Amino acid sequence: MQKPKKFDRNLIVIGAGAAGLVTAYISAAVKAKVTLIESGKMGGDCLNTGCVPSKALIMCARLAHGARRSSNFGVILPEPSIDFPRVMQHVRDSIKAIEPNDSVERYTELGVEVLKGTAALVDPWTVKIVHSSGSEKNLTARAIVLAAGAEPIVPPFPGLDRVSYLTSDTLWERLSQLQAPPQRLTLLGGGAIGCELAQALARLGSEITLVERARVILPELDREVSAAVTVALEAEGVTLLTGHEAVEFEGGSDQKGGVLVLRNAEGRVKIEFDEVILALGRRAKTTGMGLEKLQLLENGKLKLDDCLRTRYPHILAAGDMAGPYQFTHMASYQAWYAAVNGLFGDIKKFAVDYSLVPSAVFVDPEVASVGLSEGKAREQGIDYEITRYNIGDLDRAIVDGAARGFVKVLTARGKDKILGVSIVGENAAELISEFILAMKYGLGLNKILSTIHIYPTMSEANKFVAGNWKRAHAPAAVLRLLAVFNRWRRK
């Protein structure tokens, strides 16, 4: 494998999802000659099968739920009628409206060469491109960024081939074919995708059963957060089967639907369904790109250093291919490191900072978190304190009919240094940004407390939790002296 004496490109990016698009954008902005290769749709999973369609569906479901609750505000409406084809049209329209931001035309204007086709590494510096037309082309590059994304995990359940199962990739096409939401829908997997889809489709009229092998849904989050989402889903009619493990599938009658066989502590349970969605996580796409040939994989996964580099320092990865966090915002964040380390890593390299990775689950009430959860703090032996604020006491939440949830902050013992935050409530994913900024720049709860927050807003919850911390840490000796002083001043 002889290194070329000169290169066709400064950078080649494989994959035009969030990570690939941002990597190409940054590279073009610093005047590098960059080629972006995509075999499918521009925008990747987020635009076409992930964030955008799911949030569009959630919005439709939220409106239906709001109509049912309108009598609480003195607005009497009939039970909403769900025009499901129009719901799905809104999903498609949302994708179409955002598509230009990720289009070939836009990135071409930005100075990126965009090629449609498959890509594979021939050697550490050469990428073979098979165009959609069938023609082939080899390009060399000083650096290569792998950003091909991820795909749904589909375990080899016995009998799975006898049912027409869906994944987050295939769900949207199937829903677009229906005149009404599936009557009986089973979701396998109680993570973010499963919980969001369960609530949205329940609000649109489906009878939902959500199955999770762990004892709780959203097991990676704070236990209080998981409990709050459990209460919300069950209140809306979602049947939660936690502590249940999928065993096998059986075909349904008349070739419709099917039966899912589960195992729990008591024995076996069977669930009939019209549609079943596998929401069991996603794994990096690593096949068909020549990664095995260059020994870039370890146990089927890319082995990367702290700078997102493989065993060949000029071959890097970003986004879902890199992990460990499969969030669109993480893909965009890693893209900066991939672009800069790819173009300039031989001069100066930068290690990715994973100390502040926020996440959100767009259920209602919304949940968001950053930093340490209580469970993780205990596991790491960190001495911490907990401060809470009940959003049910917040004026804006009360008038909006959103008086539920909490802000929970972990701080270092005796200090206002923020170690982690979990929020359950209206617009939690927006509220947490103030804490992310504070943690990023070392600002404690005292700084948040001394910052003016507009009244009445949900963001006041952040100030009030800081106020609760301050009251709990009021200097008792100083207050006693002040009491004596003020008593003297009254004489």
Side-chain angles (χ1 to χ4, degrees):
M1 294 186 289
Q2 185 68 37
K3 182 178 179 179
K5 294 182 178 179
K6 64 178 182 177
F7 301 93
D8 301 316
R9 304 290 185 268
N10 294 102
L11 188 71
I12 291 176
V13 183
I14 300 175
L21 290 171
V22 178
T23 300
Y25 175 90
I26 293 170
S27 302
V30 296
K31 305 306 178 183
K33 190 172 185 181
V34 55
T35 293
L36 175 64
I37 307 164
E38 174 56 56
S39 61
K41 295 180 179 180
M42 296 288 288
D45 298 327
C46 180
L47 174 62
N48 298 290
T49 61
C51 307
V52 172
S54 65
K55 303 315 170 277
L57 184 74
I58 287 170
M59 185 62 201
C60 296
R62 188 180 182 90
L63 290 172
H65 184 66
R68 296 186 186 103
R69 296 180 63 240
S70 64
S71 60
N72 296 341
F73 301 88
V75 180
I76 311 303
L77 298 175
E79 171 66 22
S81 176
I82 306 300
D83 186 338
F84 198 64
R86 289 184 66 180
V87 167
M88 295 310 300
Q89 186 61 51
H90 171 67
V91 172
R92 292 190 294 273
D93 288 345
S94 298
I95 296 171
K96 187 176 181 180
I98 297 173
E99 273 179 342
N101 297 331
D102 298 344
S103 65
V104 172
E105 293 75 16
R106 178 177 181 238
Y107 276 79
T108 300
E109 290 177 2
L110 291 170
V112 178
E113 179 189 38
V114 182
L115 301 179
K116 298 304 293 292
T118 61
L121 299 176
V122 176
D123 60 45
W125 301 275
T126 308
V127 176
K128 178 182 179 181
I129 303 150
V130 180
H131 296 281
S132 303
S133 62
S135 61
E136 298 181 3
K137 181 179 184 179
N138 282 4
L139 287 177
T140 60
R142 180 173 287 278
I144 299 168
V145 173
L146 307 171
E151 58 193 359
I153 295 173
V154 180
F157 293 116
L160 186 60
D161 58 343
R162 296 199 292 269
V163 299
S164 297
Y165 67 90
L166 302 171
T167 68
S168 57
D169 283 358
T170 61
L171 167 67
W172 306 103
E173 181 178 357
R174 174 57 180 156
L175 292 182
S176 293
Q177 298 169 352
L178 301 178
Q179 295 301 305
Q183 183 177 351
R184 300 172 303 172
L185 176 64
T186 293
L187 278 149
L188 197 54
I193 294 174
C195 289
E196 289 179 2
L197 289 175
Q199 187 179 56
L201 289 166
R203 289 178 167 184
L204 292 172
S206 291
E207 179 185 317
I208 303 292
T209 300
L210 179 61
V211 180
E212 168 57 46
R213 182 172 59 181
R215 293 192 298 173
V216 296
I217 59 172
L218 301 172
E220 71 281 2
L221 298 182
D222 185 277
R223 286 294 176 262
E224 290 187 72
V225 172
S226 173
V229 177
T230 296
V231 170
L233 293 183
E234 290 183 335
E236 296 189 35
V238 175
T239 299
L240 294 179
L241 298 179
T242 55
H244 286 68
E245 183 177 5
V247 176
E248 63 179 325
F249 286 85
E250 299 174 356
S253 59
D254 300 325
Q255 304 301 314
K256 294 181 180 179
V259 176
L260 172 59
V261 181
L262 302 170
R263 179 171 53 229
N264 61 21
E266 285 75 40
R268 294 199 171 198
V269 179
K270 289 189 176 183
I271 302 171
E272 294 185 6
F273 58 81
D274 298 311
E275 302 282 358
V276 62
I277 302 173
L278 304 186
L280 298 168
R282 299 173 65 82
R283 64 163 60 96
K285 294 179 182 176
T286 57
T287 59
M289 288 180 283
L291 308 184
E292 301 90 344
K293 176 183 175 182
L294 298 182
Q295 299 178 1
L296 300 181
L297 302 178
E298 186 175 278
N299 297 323
K301 297 181 179 180
L302 280 171
K303 185 178 180 181
L304 305 174
D305 68 8
D306 294 340
C307 300
L308 302 178
R309 303 178 304 174
T310 66
R311 63 191 294 259
Y312 298 97
H314 66 282
I315 301 178
L316 306 94
D320 288 355
M321 277 196 78
Y325 304 97
Q326 294 184 338
F327 307 136
T328 296
H329 49 277
M330 176 52 64
S332 300
Y333 175 72
Q334 287 180 329
W336 183 90
Y337 291 89
V340 172
N341 288 334
L343 294 172
F344 312 114
D346 53 343
I347 301 171
K348 181 175 177 57
K349 60 184 182 293
F350 298 86
V352 184
D353 179 7
Y354 291 116
S355 60
L356 286 177
V357 181
S359 66
V361 184
F362 295 92
V363 289
D364 181 16
E366 205 164 88
V367 303
S369 61
V370 65
L372 292 175
S373 66
E374 189 175 359
K376 289 180 181 177
R378 283 197 302 266
E379 289 174 6
Q380 297 178 25
I382 294 174
D383 192 14
Y384 64 90
E385 294 179 306
I386 294 176
T387 305
R388 298 172 55 91
Y389 175 73
N390 178 17
I391 291 178
D393 297 331
L394 187 66
D395 292 2
R396 182 56 186 267
I398 291 170
V399 300
D400 284 355
R404 58 177 176 168
F406 56 85
V407 181
K408 179 178 179 179
V409 181
L410 272 69
T411 52
R413 177 73 62 184
K415 300 180 181 179
D416 74 335
K417 180 182 179 181
I418 305 167
L419 302 178
V421 182
S422 295
I423 303 178
V424 175
E426 192 87 0
N427 298 325
E430 310 290 345
L431 296 181
I432 205 163
S433 293
E434 183 173 20
F435 289 109
I436 299 169
L437 182 69
M439 294 173 72
K440 172 72 173 177
Y441 294 102
L443 305 178
L445 290 177
N446 280 314
K447 295 293 186 183
I448 291 177
L449 179 61
S450 64
T451 301
I452 298 173
H453 292 68
I454 294 173
Y455 176 88
T457 60
M458 295 295 291
S459 67
E460 284 188 296
N462 296 348
K463 181 180 75 171
F464 292 149
V465 76
N468 286 349
W469 181 90
K470 189 69 172 179
R471 280 190 294 275
H473 293 81
V478 173
L479 291 177
R480 284 194 298 270
L481 288 174
L482 286 173
V484 172
F485 175 76
N486 284 310
R487 209 165 38 243
W488 173 76
R489 296 270 287 181
R490 293 195 299 271
K491 293 180 180 179

